[in-house]
Structures are given as structure tokens and as C-alpha cells.
Amino acid sequence: MPNANEDNPSALNQVQRRAVSELLRVSPVADDLARRFQDAGFSLALVGGSVRDALLGRLGNDLDFTTDARPDDVLKIVRPWADSVWEVGIAFGTVGCQKAGYQIEVTTYRSEAYDRTSRKPEVSYGDCIEDDLVRRDFTVNAMAVALPEKEFVDPYGGLEDLAARVLRTPGTPEESFSDDPLRMMRAARFAAQLDFEVAPEVVAAMTAMAERIEIVSAERVRDEFNKLILSANPRRGLRLLVDSGIAGYVVPELPALRLESDEHHKHKDVYEHSLTVLEQAMDLEEGEPDLVLRLAALLHDIGKPRTRRFEQDGRVSFHHHEVVGAKLTKKRMTDLKYSNDMIKDVSLLVELHLRFHGYGTGEWTDSAVRRYVRDAGPQLERLHKLTRSDCTTRNKRKAGALSRAYDGLEERIAQLKEQEELDSIRPDLDGNQIMDILGIRPGPEIGKAYKFLLELRLENGPMEHDAAVAALKEWWAAQS
């Protein structure tokens, strides 16, 4: 890799060492593929995020290449070579394949641009790698390594920006964001993922062009938002989305949390509180980042703006904000095309996040504990984490009391689980037994009887068979 920055040879030497070690690791696969393109009369280069990550010493097994070969020619080259091939992105010039454990994408030199009536990019192919790179989102993603020669291609100063940890666009930000408005969200995502600063002119363009994000499909917006939420520092990216105005078009409930307050009616900053809850929930994750938990933490208070009331004693109340918030969460996630299961899980957590505060001094009955477990269902562990994360008070005494109270609730849940099957609470008699005992055929009465027995089970815990039969007959006689 020749020197691309004579003014800062020490910085280049440092990134060169990292990049060389990374490239040596993938070289057997990359060089083999490059020689096949070369033999067919085409060029091939490692490009974009793969080069950026190699320079950062964090290149994974996903490799991105660019070429002057058209998609049909790419298919002819990779099919005899790859372990498997897929054509999902071929309409956009991308052929995917797998080889020796590497996930590979080969994209023809291209440009993407939107018009104001289309939600999909229009793709046109090019013949020059420099023209391909100028159309990429940021300079740190507009670098390439030509293969198999290992020639470093950096016409737009990406290496210098990488060393400075700053996001700039190869051309003007306005041109870049006009080509693909989703790049505005990508700037926020990279700021969160890589801990980079976003150049002032880029932020200015994001702010001026925020409305253009509406032309992008909901699915692409959702996927980019998920990547931001799952990053190491989502607060940084979310702040940029809110401050630039983009969040107002993507998740308007988030900037709405910045509630105004006055000297007579004070309450904590709900926006800052929500970001802190998100970070505290992240601290409780075990293993991989948990998208359901993070979304619930971020959105748990979005019902507050609609439920805020100023009381006569100077306090501010948000009665039933958890119920309103669950409805708003469901609508927003539906609009962003999340799966039904994820919408259900996140909305449930938002709805239940205040339930623990009825626990008070630990005087819940066993029945209340059973209902807490039953209502949370498979989301109980996430509810534990969300509830603990929702304590952002600086009052150590109050925080300690809340933590101890929740410890007590978890202990009671564990004790009840030892005594009875809390994870799958059901009546002591099933539908067939109900019909046999009452001598009735299938119909709505079975559902009513089942519901009665379930309430009895929640209230009293497991019952002996004879006691359950007696209770069912007594209930049935009262119905008659």
C-alpha cells in the first residue's frame, strides 16, 4: 500500500500496520477472487466499510468489493468459485456469495439517486472507481484497495478523516443526501457506532434537508434506526437525529419528550431521562445487544407528553401514560414496519413498566405477584431489567430503597416458582374436564368457566382437584 498521505506518515504507518495484518488474514480468499476477475478482463477492489474496518483493525468476515464488471459477468465469475451465490441485490448491481466462511458482496461501479416521486434508488453503472467512490456516503467509506496488487485508493481524503475520527462526504453533503437521504441517518449511526464527530457542514445539510428522509421507504429507515439503537453509544446518534430535526419525521415521539417546564411546575427532563434509561438497560444486557429491551427503554415514557397535567399543588402528573405510551409505541412501530411479534413485545413492556411501583413496601399479595408474572409472560426478564433501569434518581437513599424493593419482588417470584408453575399459569381444570363435570357441549360457556377458574387460580394458587370441581359447580349453579 503506497503512501497516501505524505504530510502525516506516522498516522499512515500506524493504520498501515493494522490494515496489512487484516488484509493478510483475508488475502487467500480476496486474492483468489481478484485473480479470477483479472483473468476475465475486469478489475476488483476491496471497498467501503471493509477498508475502513481494516484500517481500524476490526475487519470481520463480511467483505465488500467493487468492480467494473456488470452483474451478469460477476455471476459468471463467482458461480464456479463460491460455496453459494444469491442474487437478492442484483437489481441494484450487487451479487452476494459465500466462500470459506466469508460473506462477500460484489457491486458494480454505480451511482444511486432519488427523485421526489420514488422511494427506491435509481441505479446507473460506471466504469471508473474514482467516480464510484465519490458517490459513496462518507470519505471514510470512500477508500478502496485494488486487488491483487494491494494498491490503496483514497482520492477524497478518507484516511485523514479516519485519523481525525470525523465524518465528511466525498462531494458536498447536499449532493450526497440528495442521492440517498438515508445517508443522513447513517451519519448519526456511524457517530454512534464508531464514536466519530460529524463535520459541521454535514450537520447543517442534515438540518436543512431533514424532510427529505420521508422519501425513503419505512423498511430502510427502520433498519438504519435499529443499527443506531444497537450501537455502542446510541445516545450520541439519537441526539444528532433529534437536534437536526430528522427524528421529527422518523420517531416524532422522541423529540416530543423535551417537555417545557416553568418555575412553578417542575419535573425531570423526560428526554434526558429516557436516554439514561436506555443506557442503564444496556448495562444490564447479557451477551448480545437486545433490540426489544433497548426500544422499550427508549420509548417507555412516550405517553407522557399527551398525559401531562399541572396539579394545583404545583406537581406535574402523567396519569396512565404507560397505557397511552403502549398505544403510541404500537402505532410508531407499525408505521416503521416492525414485525408483529416485536411490536407486541415492546408495547407490552411499555405498558407494564410502571406496574412494579404499585408494589409499594412489598405488601403485594401472592395473587398480585402471580398476575405480574402472568401478564409479563415471556418478557418477565426484560421487564425486570427495564424496571430497574427506570430508576434515574440522584437520591442514593431513594435509589437504594427501590432496588431493595425490586430484589424482594424477584425473591418472592422465585419462591412462588418453587411452589407452583408460575411460567405457565393455567386453571386446575382444562376444557374437556369442564365439559365432563358440567355435562355441556362446546360453546361460549366453556370459555366463561375457564376464565373463572383462571381467576381463581391467580387469586388462590393451585387447588386440589376436588376443591376445583366444587368451586366450578358452585359457580355454574350461580350462573343458572
Side-chain angles (χ1 to χ4, degrees):
M1 291 170 60
N3 198 328
N5 186 355
E6 298 291 348
D7 295 332
N8 193 2
S10 61
L12 180 58
N13 288 337
Q14 184 179 5
V15 295
Q16 268 188 321
R17 286 193 295 271
R18 287 198 296 257
V20 166
S21 64
E22 294 287 83
L23 291 175
L24 284 174
R25 179 173 63 83
V26 304
S27 188
V29 170
D31 288 351
D32 185 17
L33 182 60
R35 281 190 290 269
R36 291 172 181 270
F37 272 80
Q38 198 173 54
D39 292 344
F42 300 109
S43 300
L44 187 73
L46 194 68
V47 72
S50 293
V51 176
R52 179 199 70 220
D53 288 344
L55 292 169
L56 291 172
R58 44 174 279 176
L59 180 61
N61 287 349
D62 292 342
L63 304 179
D64 295 328
F65 296 91
T66 188
T67 180
D68 56 349
R70 297 302 190 255
D72 288 342
D73 294 316
V74 174
L75 283 172
K76 291 177 183 177
I77 296 170
V78 301
R79 271 186 173 142
W81 173 81
D83 298 329
S84 60
V85 176
W86 53 91
E87 304 177 28
V88 175
I90 200 167
F92 302 104
T94 299
V95 173
C97 64
Q98 184 175 12
K99 178 70 174 181
Y102 290 97
Q103 300 292 321
I104 293 169
E105 288 191 348
V106 183
T107 302
T108 302
Y109 298 159
R110 67 185 184 181
S111 65
E112 294 179 353
Y114 277 77
D115 63 40
R116 294 190 177 274
T117 61
S118 173
R119 287 183 174 268
K120 296 182 178 180
E122 299 174 353
V123 177
S124 60
Y125 299 129
D127 300 301
C128 171
I129 191 171
E130 286 79 11
D131 289 345
D132 177 84
L133 294 177
V134 78
R135 296 184 180 99
R136 294 188 176 255
D137 50 8
F138 304 105
T139 59
V140 296
N141 295 328
M143 299 179 284
V145 177
L147 300 172
E149 302 88 354
K150 307 292 194 300
E151 178 186 352
F152 187 51
V153 184
D154 181 21
Y156 305 106
L159 181 59
E160 184 178 346
D161 287 341
L162 190 72
R165 306 185 72 81
V166 64
L167 288 176
R168 301 183 193 278
T169 52
T172 68
E174 290 77 11
E175 289 173 335
S176 181
F177 298 155
S178 291
D179 283 348
D180 186 353
L182 188 66
R183 291 173 175 173
M184 297 186 291
M185 288 189 66
R186 205 170 292 152
R189 189 247 293 185
F190 283 134
Q193 267 186 346
L194 304 174
D195 198 27
F196 278 24
E197 292 291 337
V198 181
E201 69 272 16
V202 175
V203 175
M206 292 171 64
T207 305
M209 301 176 66
E211 185 178 3
R212 284 284 286 156
I213 197 65
E214 290 191 303
I215 200 67
V216 183
S217 69
E219 291 85 354
R220 295 184 72 215
V221 168
R222 175 204 62 212
D223 291 347
E224 197 61 47
F225 187 65
N226 287 348
K227 291 175 183 177
L228 190 161
I229 294 297
L230 292 171
S231 69
N233 186 10
R235 179 190 285 260
R236 185 170 198 162
L238 291 168
R239 279 189 182 281
L240 182 54
L241 289 184
V242 170
D243 293 344
S244 64
I246 294 171
Y249 297 98
V250 176
V251 190
E253 294 80 8
L254 187 57
L257 292 175
R258 295 187 295 186
L259 299 174
E260 296 180 1
S261 60
D262 57 47
E263 60 183 8
H264 301 295
H265 299 94
K266 294 183 178 180
H267 56 80
K268 62 186 174 185
D269 187 325
V270 183
Y271 170 65
E272 291 295 334
H273 165 76
S274 297
L275 296 180
T276 300
V277 172
L278 170 59
E279 291 177 330
Q280 294 185 166
M282 291 166 57
D283 290 338
L284 297 178
E285 289 174 337
E286 301 167 10
E288 294 297 314
D290 186 339
L291 181 59
V292 170
L293 176 63
R294 292 191 183 195
L295 287 171
L298 179 65
L299 302 176
H300 76 286
D301 272 348
I302 61 172
K304 281 192 170 180
R306 291 197 181 183
T307 58
R308 183 172 63 161
R309 298 289 183 272
F310 297 111
E311 307 294 348
Q312 292 182 349
D313 60 3
R315 293 183 303 107
V316 179
S317 65
F318 304 96
H319 295 308
H320 306 301
H321 76 266
E322 72 280 12
V323 177
V324 174
K327 293 179 180 178
L328 292 174
T329 297
K330 182 177 181 180
K331 181 181 185 306
R332 180 54 49 206
M333 293 184 68
T334 300
D335 290 346
L336 288 173
K337 309 297 184 183
Y338 281 91
S339 69
N340 290 335
D341 286 344
M342 185 164 286
I343 293 171
K344 178 182 177 182
D345 292 343
V346 176
S347 300
L348 178 66
L349 289 169
V350 172
E351 184 175 358
L352 295 180
H353 82 272
L354 278 187
R355 180 76 68 85
F356 160 73
H357 294 283
Y359 190 69
T361 57
E363 296 175 352
W364 271 9
T365 62
D366 285 350
S367 171
V369 175
R370 291 188 195 99
R371 292 174 192 278
Y372 189 79
V373 174
R374 189 273 308 267
D375 291 347
Q379 300 307 314
L380 181 62
E381 289 303 316
R382 285 192 176 111
L383 183 58
H384 289 334
K385 295 173 183 176
L386 176 60
T387 304
R388 289 184 181 277
S389 302
D390 196 21
C391 176
T392 60
T393 178
R394 294 181 181 178
N395 185 321
K396 292 184 178 180
R397 181 181 299 177
K398 183 177 180 181
L402 286 171
S403 179
R404 288 190 297 274
Y406 207 86
D407 288 343
L409 176 57
E410 289 200 58
E411 288 173 5
R412 288 188 64 189
I413 291 173
Q415 291 168 359
L416 279 176
K417 280 187 174 183
E418 288 183 2
Q419 301 167 16
E420 50 188 278
E421 294 184 28
L422 282 189
D423 293 331
S424 55
I425 295 178
R426 55 178 61 87
D428 297 285
L429 303 173
D430 62 26
N432 289 327
Q433 290 173 311
I434 291 172
M435 287 189 289
D436 289 342
I437 293 167
L438 299 183
I440 58 177
R441 299 172 61 83
E445 292 84 2
I446 307 301
K448 294 178 183 178
Y450 189 92
K451 184 177 180 180
F452 162 74
L453 289 171
L454 177 60
E455 288 297 318
L456 204 62
R457 168 72 171 79
L458 288 167
E459 191 66 33
N460 301 324
M463 299 176 65
E464 295 291 339
H465 177 78
D466 290 346
V469 170
L472 174 63
K473 289 181 176 179
E474 182 179 351
W475 172 84
W476 182 244
Q479 303 307 303
S480 301

